[in-house]
């Protein structure tokens, strides 16, 4: 039986795994593009079972509890904004959260309390209005992957590419004033699909760009892409976030 243990380093909320990272770990068991649905907060530092269920669906379980499912799912995205590394660095200066205002300052991906080489420190901020025609809200962040993210082949491991594509979609979703959001909402990743065309190497200059695509009640929809320094697309993702109470975000029962 295959098992997964989520190290505390890879947390999102204080006591559960970062959503994008966990999705990426489970997607390793799916050939090609994958879609992962998170059904319960994945606990840290406990053995979790990775099983193949009906119809080839991959399940993440703890005893009888279903935590997540993963399946093959094609992801075809177009009209991806191209953002330069310099423009992304500038957008980071407009990120809406700091260590005092961030709901999850210890998040592996976007937590400002995480040090260099520990967290990814991806701090997405909004591009100036009108920068991308047809998209009223676009967030971007510069990112230079640390050497500790390297896989056995010398490229950034796939689960860290998934993680990098995750949190910026949450930032841009709650920043979508045209969808009735005010930026103070709390949300959790519910579903994520990703396609990785090419993975960067550690120390490569990269850009993560994300934009909201809609809302249905408590569900927020967004897309993201990882670009290289020449603005070529390395990977893409589509995410569904769920607006939740603050205590649910921290790990209390829904």
């Amino acid at each position: 039986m295959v098992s997964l243990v989520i190290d505390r380093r890879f947390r999102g909320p204080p006591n559960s795994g970062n959503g994008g990272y966990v999705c990426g770990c489970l997607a390793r068991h799916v050939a090609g593009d994958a879609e992962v649905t998170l059904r319960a907060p994945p606990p840290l530092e406990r053995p979790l079972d990775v099983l193949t269920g009906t119809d080839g669906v991959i399940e993440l379980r703890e005893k009888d509890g279903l935590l997540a499912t993963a399946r093959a799912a094609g992801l075809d995205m177009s009209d991806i904004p191209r953002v330069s590394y310099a423009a992304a660095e500038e957008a980071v200066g407009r990120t809406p959260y700091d260590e005092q205002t961030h709901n999850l300052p210890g998040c592996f991906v976007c937590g400002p309390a995480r040090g260099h080489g520990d967290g990814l420190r991806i701090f997405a901020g909004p591009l100036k209005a009108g920068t991308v025609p047809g998209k009223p809200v676009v967030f971007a962040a510069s990112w230079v992957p640390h050497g500790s993210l390297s896989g056995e082949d010398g490229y950034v491991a796939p689960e860290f590419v998934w993680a990098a594509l995750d949190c910026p979609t949450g930032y841009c979703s709650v920043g979508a004033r045209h969808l009735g959001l005010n930026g103070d909402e709390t949300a959790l990743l519910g579903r994520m699909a990703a396609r990785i065309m090419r993975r960067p190497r550690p120390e490569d200059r990269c850009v993560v760009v994300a934009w909201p695509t809609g809302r249905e009640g408590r569900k927020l929809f967004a897309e993201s892409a990882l670009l290289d320094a020449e603005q070529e697309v390395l990977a893409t993702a589509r995410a569904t976030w769920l607006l939740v109470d603050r205590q649910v975000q921290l790990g209390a029962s829904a």
Side-chain angles (χ1 to χ4, degrees), residues 6-33:
I6 304 169
D7 188 89
R8 183 163 294 278
R9 178 189 176 195
F10 306 127
R11 65 190 180 277
N15 296 304
S16 60
N18 168 265
Y21 170 81
V22 174
C23 288
C25 288
L26 208 55
R28 277 183 170 268
H29 302 275
V30 177
D33 303 352

Side-chain angles (χ1 to χ4, degrees), residues 157-182:
E159 57 267 33
F160 300 125
V161 174
W162 277 71
L165 291 166
D166 166 23
C167 292
T169 60
Y171 273 47
C172 73
S173 291
V174 298
R177 304 295 192 271
H178 67 293
L179 297 178
L181 285 302
N182 60 31

Side-chain angles (χ1 to χ4, degrees), residues 156-245:
V156 173
E159 57 267 33
F160 300 125
V161 174
W162 277 71
L165 291 166
D166 166 23
C167 292
T169 60
Y171 273 47
C172 73
S173 291
V174 298
R177 304 295 192 271
H178 67 293
L179 297 178
L181 285 302
N182 60 31
D184 295 327
E185 293 84 0
T186 52
L188 285 175
L189 182 68
R191 178 173 292 160
M192 184 175 180
R195 168 180 289 181
I196 300 176
M197 287 78 81
R198 181 164 55 92
R199 289 178 284 131
R201 289 184 181 273
E203 307 305 327
D204 284 353
R205 297 202 307 173
C206 301
V207 168
V208 186
V209 58
W211 57 100
T213 57
R215 176 184 183 182
E216 292 179 4
R218 291 176 55 235
K219 293 182 179 180
L220 309 177
F221 307 105
E223 296 177 343
S224 61
L226 179 66
L227 314 177
D228 65 15
E230 285 70 45
Q231 303 180 43
E232 294 298 319
V233 178
L234 303 179
T236 57
R238 180 170 292 135
T240 301
W241 287 76
L242 303 175
L243 293 173
V244 297
D245 180 83

